[in-house]
Amino acid sequence: MDIVLLVKAAIMGVVEGLTEFLPISSTGHLILAGSLLGFDDAKAKVFDIAIQTGAIFAVILVYWQKIRATLVALPTERQAQRFGLNVFIGFVPAVLLGLLFGKAIKAHLFTPVVVATTFIVGGFIILWAERRAPVATRIESVDDMGPLDALKVGLVQCLAMVPGTSRSGATIIGGMLLGLSRKAATDFSFFLAIPTLIGAGVYSLYKERALLSLADAPMFLTGLVFSFISAWLCVRWLLRYISTHSFVVFAYYRIVFGVVVLATAWLGWVQWAE
């Protein structure tokens, strides 16, 4: 058992868990962290996607009452059926566009410079969106959403295929611009993450199964556990935070972090792997 490898897996798990549901791009942070740790080969890229499942388990735990109530009521109650349909509708665009363009995006855009640039651009978009707030809020709860609302948020989620954009940032900020309340946009972003990230993880593991062996199990298990714990803490904190705060602080973080990456790369202080 390689202790150094397990430590790297734990660090990557914490990075995933802390960044998956904040509007700061978990994929971007994993690419940058992997570059610094030398944890960026083909197997590491599969690992990055697979440990998202740990973060999703944390969301399922936090929202378990809502999920359980929906599943129980699904056969008979119209509201539960509409909610389930909305999640499915929001999920479909990511599946279709991911199958069509995912390979090309991974081949050409998964680099630290691209990530840093999208960090900065995304930060300014969040500042612009928050400056426009409050927009006319039409939807206070995820239960008030219609199929068209779900489709629009699902299409916005597809912007996160570009690394550094942030799936959570795209869906939450996009949802707010589409008329969802901050709470409704955040909740739907989390619910939408469940099928999206589990599907991506299962598909990636199946597609790249030739790269993996039983010896990799401790590394993946370590990443999953640390991802789960850190994501559980982060989601609980974020739900409290958004009740009284905007996302402006995350916008400034994105801009500063992106500038630091570009500056250190240009000055040669850090050799970010390509």
Side-chain angles (χ1 to χ4, degrees):
M1 184 179 297
D2 188 337
I3 299 300
V4 173
L5 183 61
L6 293 183
V7 171
K8 290 182 179 180
I11 293 172
M12 296 295 280
V14 171
V15 171
E16 160 62 24
L18 292 180
T19 59
E20 181 61 56
F21 302 108
L22 300 178
I24 56 175
S25 177
S26 63
T27 301
H29 280 80
L30 289 171
I31 292 173
L32 298 176
S35 296
L36 287 176
L37 293 172
F39 193 75
D40 54 4
D41 57 11
K43 186 179 294 186
K45 289 179 171 57
V46 179
F47 172 87
D48 290 350
I49 298 174
I51 61 172
Q52 292 175 339
T53 308
I56 289 304
F57 287 153
V59 167
I60 292 173
L61 180 61
V62 171
Y63 284 94
W64 176 243
Q65 289 185 338
K66 171 67 173 177
I67 294 171
R68 180 179 179 278
T70 299
L71 293 175
V72 170
L74 202 56
T76 58
E77 293 188 14
R78 186 173 182 81
Q79 181 173 306
Q81 293 168 354
R82 184 173 67 172
F83 174 73
L85 178 62
N86 285 343
V87 173
F88 176 76
I89 290 172
F91 167 63
V92 168
V95 175
L96 296 179
L97 293 182
L99 292 174
L100 288 173
F101 303 111
K103 186 175 181 180
I105 289 172
K106 287 182 179 179
H108 300 290
L109 298 182
F110 273 58
T111 67
V113 172
V114 169
V115 170
T117 303
T118 51
F119 261 61
I120 295 169
V121 172
F124 281 111
I125 290 174
I126 292 175
L127 289 177
W128 171 75
E130 288 288 5
R131 188 178 293 271
R132 289 189 69 231
V135 296
T137 299
R138 301 180 294 106
I139 299 168
E140 293 293 341
S141 167
V142 290
D143 292 326
D144 300 326
M145 293 178 64
L148 185 58
D149 299 311
L151 178 60
K152 289 177 180 177
V153 176
L155 290 171
V156 171
Q157 177 177 241
C158 295
L159 295 174
M161 293 175 63
V162 179
T165 301
S166 171
R167 191 205 62 83
S168 294
T171 51
I172 294 173
I173 300 301
M176 289 170 58
L177 291 174
L178 292 168
L180 278 66
S181 69
R182 193 182 303 275
K183 180 68 163 57
T186 303
D187 286 344
F188 193 69
S189 174
F190 288 169
F191 287 121
L192 197 55
I194 296 174
T196 301
L197 299 187
I198 289 180
V202 171
Y203 177 73
S204 179
L205 287 173
Y206 173 77
K207 187 178 178 181
E208 306 295 344
R209 61 191 182 280
L211 293 173
L212 308 175
S213 68
L214 189 60
D216 297 317
M219 177 183 72
F220 278 81
L221 182 60
T222 299
L224 283 169
V225 169
F226 278 87
S227 173
F228 168 80
I229 294 172
S230 54
W232 181 75
L233 294 171
C234 185
V235 169
R236 287 168 58 87
W237 171 81
L238 182 62
L239 291 174
R240 293 193 301 269
Y241 178 86
I242 63 170
S243 64
T244 55
H245 296 80
S246 72
F247 290 108
V248 168
V249 66
F250 299 113
Y252 287 122
Y253 170 82
R254 290 179 64 108
I255 293 168
V256 170
F257 195 73
V259 169
V260 168
V261 172
L262 290 177
T264 54
W266 183 68
L267 293 170
W269 294 350
V270 178
Q271 297 300 316
W272 302 100
E274 293 291 339

